[in-house]
Amino acid sequence: PVEIAEIFQPLAKSFHLHRARLLVLSGITSPATFGWIRPIILLPDGCLQQDFSQLEGVLRHELHHIRRRDFVWNGLAIVCRALLLFHPAAWYAVKKLQFDRELACDFAVVSDSPRRRAEYAECLIHFARLNASQNPKAWGIDFAATSDHLKARVRAILGVSNNVSSWLLSLRIACGVILLAGFAGIAPSLVVLPSYKRQQTSEP
């Protein structure tokens, strides 16, 4: 529609993303972004009845994904997870990366227009409800894909503090120091062991 194109084109130019395209696709429940060289933003047809001020926040979120090249980094992360398929840390790292990626774009949107924090949070909840009521499909970088982290994202958008208790912070620091010390103690052995094996095989 012309009205939506008139909103999107100036935004894309302000982000210096002249190759970005916007398409409306029925059957999806959330805006999504995919592609790198010629990135495409997909909008559900339900966005046609949405308030234009909320729609601008959605488009800004997706344009920030494109400018940050999140589609590329997400693909690399999934490849690394496939190579380390049986390692639980790989799955956790990708999940944490996806959450931080969405949160970074949320912060970028509300920093552009701080007065619209509540309105943007309502928009996020709207798409999360659509995902919960229907059978969502993953379309690249999905606006509401991380619905499990919806509460944390909304709290962060609204500026609600979520301070970590001092004992939990101390426990995390202690665990990190222990892991670092353990690795520092094992690392010399990992260097010496291959040379020792080569020496053993070279002896008659």
Side-chain angles (χ1 to χ4, degrees):
V2 178
E3 297 85 356
I4 296 179
E6 290 177 350
I7 297 174
F8 175 72
Q9 290 173 359
L11 282 177
K13 289 181 180 179
S14 67
F15 279 77
H16 303 289
L17 298 173
H18 303 284
R19 291 190 174 185
R21 293 187 296 164
L22 181 65
L23 300 177
V24 176
L25 181 64
S26 61
I28 62 174
T29 58
S30 171
T33 299
F34 69 95
W36 175 33
I37 298 176
R38 296 202 65 183
I40 297 176
I41 297 175
L42 296 179
L43 287 181
D45 51 3
C47 287
L48 302 180
Q49 288 79 36
Q50 196 170 6
D51 185 78
F52 284 171
S53 60
Q54 288 189 353
L55 184 59
E56 182 180 346
V58 172
L59 294 176
R60 285 183 179 275
H61 180 100
E62 300 301 327
L63 287 169
H64 278 294
H65 275 309
I66 296 174
R67 187 164 67 178
R68 288 162 41 91
R69 297 181 176 87
D70 282 337
F71 186 82
V72 178
W73 297 117
N74 186 63
L76 291 174
I78 292 174
V79 169
C80 293
R81 185 181 64 185
L83 295 175
L84 302 170
L85 183 62
F86 299 102
H87 202 302
W91 290 85
Y92 172 79
V94 172
K95 187 176 181 180
K96 187 70 167 62
L97 175 67
Q98 292 172 346
F99 172 69
D100 289 344
R101 176 191 69 204
E102 297 299 327
L103 196 59
C105 291
D106 291 337
F107 280 141
V109 171
V110 297
S111 65
D112 292 341
S113 52
R115 297 179 181 178
R116 297 181 179 177
R117 287 177 179 266
E119 187 178 32
Y120 181 73
E122 290 177 2
C123 179
L124 185 65
I125 294 172
H126 168 72
F127 286 110
R129 286 175 177 170
L130 286 179
N131 271 9
S133 62
Q134 301 182 29
N135 184 20
K137 297 180 180 179
W139 296 85
I141 305 299
D142 203 326
F143 180 80
T146 55
S147 57
D148 293 340
H149 298 107
L150 174 64
K151 182 178 178 180
R153 288 175 65 186
V154 171
R155 286 173 63 89
I157 291 168
L158 297 178
V160 180
S161 62
N162 191 17
N163 297 326
V164 180
S165 59
S166 58
W167 70 268
L168 183 58
L169 182 60
S170 301
L171 180 62
R172 290 177 179 177
I173 294 174
C175 290
V177 170
I178 292 171
L179 288 174
L180 183 61
F183 178 76
I186 295 174
S189 301
L190 296 177
V191 175
V192 172
L193 186 60
S195 61
Y196 177 76
K197 286 186 176 181
R198 285 195 299 270
Q199 183 180 0
Q200 289 281 1
T201 55
S202 62
E203 291 180 359

